[in-house]
Amino acid sequence: MEAYAGEWLQLLIRWVHLITGIAWIGASFYFIWLDNSLEPPRRQRDVDEGVGGELSAIHGGGFYHVQKYRVAPPELPPTLHWFKWEAYSTWLSGFALLVVLYWWHADLYMIDRSVAAITPMQAVLLSAALLVGGWFAYDQLCKRLGFDRERILIASMIAFVAAVAWGLSHVYGGRAVYLQVGAMLGTLMAANVLFVIIPAQRKLVEAKADGRAPDPVHGMRGKQRSVHNNYLTLPVLLTMISGHYPMTFGHPHAWIVLVCLLLLAAFVRHFFNLRHRGRTVWAIPIVAALGALALAVAIAPEQRPGAGAVTFGEVQPIIAARCAACHAEHPRFEGIASAPKGVVLETPAQIIANAAAIGQQAVASRAMPLGNVTQMTDAERARLAAWIEAGARGP
């Protein structure tokens, strides 16, 4: 019942995380689009009042007219809407999911004994340290490089993320590497809101409330971090869904695959940001598509030599010993309440019906068993491959 309750808890938290993430990312997309689409104010009165740009739109059957001030309005409006809880609730639900799913079952979802013989506590402590350390490293880079060396900042962050992914690939299983990098970037985004963007906005509001001229640097600092968050949205979303695609995290050089995918995702986001400014650079999506295709070809699984003629009688004991602890009507592995993805591998008919999936998960990507927790050997994987290549015949 504990495992069953745990799965319900994961479902509810994941649902909340998805809902709040949609709200946060949607707000990011909207406001960056708004900033990039603003036109100079047409009325001199607006210019005199400090309006820096305006935009008219129609949506949902109504007309809208939006204005943005260069620094602040002449006086504060009676109602001022803040956008922060979308970010906070997304991070809180994501952190809860990290704890309930990954930290709680670190021995299954984070540790791969063939990579490093670490304890669950060590895996969890490293994960927590990277959430904090990733933010500290990024924040220091932003503070030291300022606003004028953005390209150096970008290059430094790419190098930092690549170094973290490489280091994690020597400690965690591939799936956990992707999840941890995504969690680190998501934490960085939420921390931008909590520690930089909202405090900067508070200082602007406080200055107006006190009758002082607001310092524009606060708005500039908030805008910089907001743009950074916008570029990180697609990379973080990619890490969120990567666990369903073992051909990426199951590759021998999964960390390189991850870095390439993150760069492609950010590149696509750049296309939309440029388009919103009036520059449609079709070369970007074309290059991104060609890059994704080249990556897919480069990491395509190799045809490994089989182990000669292999019968179903040789394969079934391997499945029973290495796979059926989880893939059963009543899983025996602690923390697993039901067979993952509903795949049951107990009867000959079930094994034969799922032969292609077995080949993809256990042979091509070597993503299963998770963390190789049941210690499937290379010889056993070769026998599975030979059986599948011969037509996956039954008894």
Side-chain angles (χ1 to χ4, degrees):
M1 288 302 295
E2 180 183 346
Y4 179 70
E7 288 196 353
W8 269 102
L9 184 61
Q10 293 168 25
L11 169 63
L12 294 174
I13 296 174
R14 194 184 298 271
W15 186 36
V16 171
H17 187 52
L18 180 63
I19 294 170
T20 56
I22 290 172
W24 185 17
I25 292 173
S28 174
F29 283 5
Y30 173 73
F31 279 103
I32 295 299
W33 167 82
L34 187 62
D35 266 354
N36 290 336
S37 303
L38 291 172
E39 299 174 348
R42 298 178 180 179
R43 297 184 302 181
Q44 185 59 43
R45 184 183 67 182
D46 292 333
V47 175
D48 296 340
E49 290 183 351
V51 174
E54 61 184 7
L55 178 143
S56 296
I58 185 169
H59 179 76
F63 291 89
Y64 296 82
H65 185 72
V66 181
Q67 292 181 321
K68 180 181 179 180
Y69 292 90
R70 287 189 294 272
V71 180
E75 59 183 42
L76 288 175
T79 301
L80 193 60
H81 297 280
W82 295 70
F83 293 82
K84 55 183 179 179
W85 284 108
E86 299 91 341
Y88 300 162
S89 53
T90 299
W91 186 87
L92 288 170
S93 57
F95 181 71
L97 191 61
L98 176 68
V99 172
V100 170
L101 181 58
Y102 279 81
W103 288 7
W104 195 349
H105 305 292
D107 56 334
L108 178 62
Y109 290 110
M110 300 185 76
I111 297 173
D112 186 337
R113 304 293 180 192
S114 65
V115 175
I118 62 174
T119 66
M121 181 57 69
Q122 289 172 329
V124 170
L125 290 176
L126 175 60
S127 176
L130 280 174
L131 297 184
V132 177
W135 158 250
F136 179 80
Y138 160 78
D139 186 54
Q140 288 301 307
L141 282 172
C142 288
K143 290 178 178 177
R144 294 177 186 277
L145 294 176
F147 305 116
D148 300 325
R149 291 179 284 181
E150 197 71 15
R151 292 185 178 181
I152 298 176
L153 174 59
I154 293 171
S156 300
M157 279 304 298
I158 292 173
F160 173 72
V161 171
V164 169
W166 174 82
L168 287 176
S169 70
H170 292 78
V171 182
Y172 291 158
R175 184 179 183 183
V177 172
Y178 281 48
L179 185 281
Q180 181 62 47
V181 170
M184 182 183 73
L185 294 177
T187 298
L188 180 155
M189 293 170 65
N192 267 341
V193 177
L194 178 62
F195 297 121
V196 179
I197 297 173
I198 295 300
Q201 292 174 176
R202 285 202 180 101
K203 289 179 180 178
L204 293 173
V205 172
E206 290 170 359
K208 289 300 300 182
D210 294 341
R212 295 180 285 109
D215 188 343
V217 73
H218 299 307
M220 294 168 60
R221 189 172 292 125
K223 176 64 182 297
Q224 180 192 43
R225 302 299 181 97
S226 181
V227 171
H228 291 176
N229 279 3
N230 182 264
Y231 275 96
L232 289 173
T233 52
L234 297 189
V236 170
L237 284 175
L238 188 143
T239 63
M240 288 173 63
I241 65 173
S242 64
H244 298 285
Y245 302 97
M247 75 279 193
T248 57
F249 66 80
H251 190 271
H253 301 293
W255 73 272
I256 298 178
V257 178
L258 173 61
V259 172
C260 291
L261 289 172
L262 296 180
L263 290 174
L264 288 172
F267 197 36
V268 170
R269 186 64 239 164
H270 186 55
F271 165 77
F272 287 103
N273 286 342
L274 288 179
R275 184 174 172 83
H276 298 154
R277 295 187 198 132
R279 292 179 56 199
T280 302
V281 185
W282 288 112
I284 293 177
I286 292 172
V287 170
L290 291 175
L293 178 61
L295 181 63
V297 172
I299 68 173
E302 299 176 0
Q303 291 293 329
R304 294 184 173 88
V310 176
T311 66
F312 182 82
E314 296 175 79
V315 167
Q316 189 171 25
I318 298 174
I319 300 296
R322 310 305 185 193
C323 308
C326 296
H327 290 281
E329 289 289 348
H330 303 287
R332 303 185 304 277
F333 199 92
E334 184 180 355
I336 303 295
S338 58
K341 295 187 177 181
V343 176
V344 177
L345 302 174
E346 293 183 307
T347 68
Q350 291 168 338
I351 295 172
I352 293 169
N354 289 284
I358 293 171
Q360 174 62 31
Q361 299 281 351
V363 179
S365 68
R366 302 169 71 89
M368 292 291 172
L370 270 178
N372 202 21
V373 68
T374 56
Q375 301 180 345
M376 181 180 285
T377 66
D378 289 342
E380 289 171 333
R381 295 182 196 273
R383 285 199 287 277
L384 290 176
W387 172 69
I388 294 168
E389 289 169 8
R393 295 183 177 86

